[in-house]
Amino acid sequence: MLDSLLLFAVSLVANTLSALAGGGAGLLQLPILLFLGLAFPVALATHKLASVALGVGATLKHLRSGTLNLRFSALILAAGLPGVVLGAHLILRIPDQWALLALAILTTGLGIHSLLTPELGLQAIPRNRAGWRLAAGALVLFLIGVLNGSLTSGTGLFVTLWLVYWYGLEYKRAVAYTLVLVGLFWNGAGAAALAAQAGIYWPWVPVLLVASVLGGYLGAHWALVKGNRLVKRCFELVTLLTGLSLFIKAF
């Protein structure tokens, strides 16, 4: 019971922050699963499954607000899902330390870039929506999908910043796309692929699912109410903390 209460509290905080920042739930949720005794592959598969519920909670809020464009959503899914499945099959072949170090450098760089660009993502400036620029953006989404399927945390943050930087979305809308499409569909595909290889620890799944749905809904609500500046600051905080955590794990 104490383990379940601790897991619920940590997961609720992690998923609320993730719903505000557009990723990073694994910063807290995966380590607590490892701390409570799960092997890494099982903890990763269980975390991915719980992240699907984060997408459910955010979807409930964002669909009611009419935030998402169906054609743009289809692009993100078509580009990213094949990469997620590929990445989930590659993870067992990549040395953990190399993977964690690469992800730490990339994640920290995202936070620093956003900090050094004060106006980035505060207003929507649509761009790169046709021709080779659209295809180039989709290719990057595919590569992020590979990372999402193979690594533990931070890849939702990559999607959020790419949607802001390349396609010109404001942070609030980019986070909505990330939570719904990455949280619900990318993580769902990754969880299924990893579960087939490593299995899931089912006794803790109900606790994680409740915390994820509630955290996703609360974070999405505050993002819609408070606006882009709060979301941008949460994004920067979570990316820097995630990067630091990954550096510590790598060494």
Side-chain angles (χ1 to χ4, degrees):
M1 179 62 70
L2 288 176
D3 286 350
S4 296
L5 288 173
L6 176 63
L7 185 60
F8 177 81
V10 171
S11 295
L12 180 61
V13 172
N15 285 289
T16 302
L17 281 175
S18 180
L20 271 169
L27 170 66
L28 295 174
Q29 190 164 271
L30 184 71
I32 194 64
L33 290 171
L34 296 172
F35 174 77
L36 292 173
L38 295 188
F40 178 80
V42 179
L44 179 56
T46 306
H47 160 64
K48 287 285 186 185
L49 179 62
S51 296
V52 177
L54 171 62
V56 172
T59 300
L60 294 173
K61 190 65 181 178
H62 284 297
L63 285 182
R64 290 171 58 190
S65 67
T67 310
L68 306 180
N69 177 279
L70 290 180
R71 291 184 63 185
F72 196 62
S73 299
L75 169 72
I76 296 171
L77 291 179
L81 283 175
V84 172
V85 175
L86 175 62
H89 286 88
L90 289 177
I91 183 59
L92 299 179
R93 298 174 177 84
I94 300 174
D96 286 350
Q97 187 175 20
W98 292 6
L100 290 171
L101 185 58
L103 190 57
I105 293 170
L106 289 170
T107 306
T108 305
L110 293 181
I112 293 173
H113 175 71
S114 185
L115 278 170
L116 295 178
T117 317
E119 299 305 312
L120 180 68
L122 294 183
Q123 292 184 344
I125 309 174
R127 54 180 175 264
N128 300 326
R129 304 293 179 91
W132 72 268
R133 294 179 183 276
L134 181 69
L139 175 61
V140 173
L141 288 172
F142 170 79
L143 296 175
I144 298 173
V146 174
L147 291 177
N148 177 273
S150 60
L151 297 174
T152 58
S153 62
T155 51
L157 300 169
F158 295 170
V159 175
T160 297
L161 188 61
W162 185 244
L163 295 179
V164 169
Y165 177 78
W166 188 254
Y167 291 113
L169 274 65
E170 75 275 29
Y171 265 107
K172 184 169 64 175
R173 192 173 298 270
V175 165
Y177 279 107
T178 299
L179 290 176
V180 174
L181 302 176
V182 175
L184 198 56
F185 295 101
W186 288 27
N187 285 342
L194 285 167
Q197 299 177 79
I200 288 172
Y201 188 70
W202 292 103
W204 284 339
V205 167
V207 174
L208 290 169
L209 292 183
V210 173
S212 294
V213 171
L214 183 58
Y217 188 89
L218 289 174
H221 171 74
W222 285 332
L224 290 169
V225 170
K226 298 297 184 180
N228 284 311
R229 197 166 294 277
L230 173 65
V231 176
K232 178 178 170 67
R233 292 293 172 256
C234 287
F235 173 87
E236 292 159 356
L237 174 65
V238 172
T239 50
L240 293 175
L241 290 176
T242 301
L244 177 61
S245 171
L246 291 168
F247 273 118
I248 293 171
K249 290 179 191 176
F251 293 105

